[in-house]
Amino acid sequence: MQRATQQARYLQWRTILPLLLVTSLLTACGFQLRGQMDIASELSELSVTGSDRTFVRDLRRALSLTGISINDDAPYRLVITRINQDTGQRSQSSAGSYERLLTLTVTYQLETDDGLKLFTPMELSNERFFTQDQNQSNASSNEERIIFNELRQDIINTTVRRVAAMSGDSLRQEAERAREVRKKELEALEARE
């Protein structure tokens, strides 16, 4: 009886030990779950707006995961100005299928809380080919939707990395520059009147 208990424990450890080893190796090599990013950002607060609610929601969530607090009263605002999905036919094959090029383009603008535009608008684009079968339109449309979701997530990750990498000094300098430009524009407008 005691020998059977010892064998059961041995088999249990024999099963658990490799799993523990693999888990510790994955952690040691820097493995992260998809969507998680370890970014230390000087930007602590940000407001995010745009017309595509799903994209804005996912972007807010990704920014929050990096430690950036999403707050409507934040000193800086990230405005998603344009999102464009494009589906183009690339080539016709003989078997009733053809390649399609899926492109997702997102343009965003960083602004101060009072609407001063900082830097130039940033345009990010991502594309991927997929083969569409004319005889399986449902499967192809599902695959197209999945690919667009992956393109969207890639652009969100790139946006988060770029925004989080901005230093506080560069943001302050750009805000000062934008205020000077606005001041000169107002002076020029008043001089014309």
Side-chain angles (χ1 to χ4, degrees):
M1 178 80 163
Q2 187 177 11
R3 182 168 168 82
T5 306
Q6 286 178 341
Q7 283 181 339
R9 285 187 185 153
Y10 172 75
L11 287 174
Q12 186 179 24
W13 274 107
R14 194 172 157 197
T15 306
I16 292 174
L17 191 58
L19 290 173
L20 291 173
L21 218 110
V22 168
T23 304
S24 65
L25 286 174
L26 284 175
T27 305
C29 76
F31 172 79
Q32 292 181 332
L33 292 174
R34 185 177 188 159
Q36 287 187 329
M37 289 182 269
D38 188 19
I39 300 172
S41 176
E42 287 185 34
L43 189 63
S44 59
E45 267 187 306
L46 188 65
S47 170
V48 181
T49 61
S51 60
D52 187 323
R53 290 182 183 176
T54 305
F55 188 87
V56 169
R57 181 197 66 217
D58 293 345
L59 181 57
R60 284 178 176 168
R61 186 177 302 139
L63 286 164
S64 293
L65 288 173
T66 65
I68 297 174
S69 175
I70 304 303
N71 182 355
D72 289 339
D73 298 325
Y76 299 104
R77 178 173 46 225
L78 184 66
V79 181
I80 308 302
T81 58
R82 188 175 66 90
I83 297 179
N84 185 36
Q85 285 187 186
D86 186 36
T87 307
Q89 183 175 337
R90 189 67 172 178
S91 65
Q92 184 75 30
S93 72
S94 61
S97 62
Y98 52 91
E99 280 191 345
R100 297 185 79 174
L101 177 63
L102 305 180
T103 306
L104 180 66
T105 306
V106 175
T107 306
Y108 68 85
Q109 175 74 54
L110 192 63
E111 300 178 354
T112 61
D113 58 348
D114 59 347
L116 278 176
K117 294 180 181 352
L118 306 178
F119 308 105
T120 57
M122 179 60 65
E123 182 176 284
L124 300 174
S125 186
N126 205 349
E127 60 186 24
R128 192 173 306 158
F129 284 102
F130 90 103
T131 304
Q132 183 168 8
D133 189 344
Q134 291 176 339
N135 299 325
Q136 297 179 355
S137 61
N138 284 343
S140 293
S141 64
N142 285 338
E143 184 178 0
E144 182 177 319
R145 188 171 51 253
I146 290 168
I147 290 172
F148 270 125
N149 284 337
E150 290 173 354
L151 295 175
R152 176 182 291 254
Q153 191 58 50
D154 288 345
I155 287 180
I156 286 173
N157 290 341
T158 301
T159 303
V160 169
R161 280 192 296 274
R162 288 185 179 195
V163 168
M166 290 183 197
S167 71
D169 288 340
S170 68
L171 287 168
R172 284 186 291 278
Q173 289 171 0
E174 182 64 17
E176 287 175 21
R177 186 205 60 78
R179 283 189 181 90
E180 281 298 316
V181 168
R182 178 190 270 178
K183 182 180 174 183
K184 288 178 183 177
E185 288 173 350
L186 289 174
E187 288 172 357
L189 199 67
E190 287 174 0
R192 287 183 203 159
E193 294 175 354

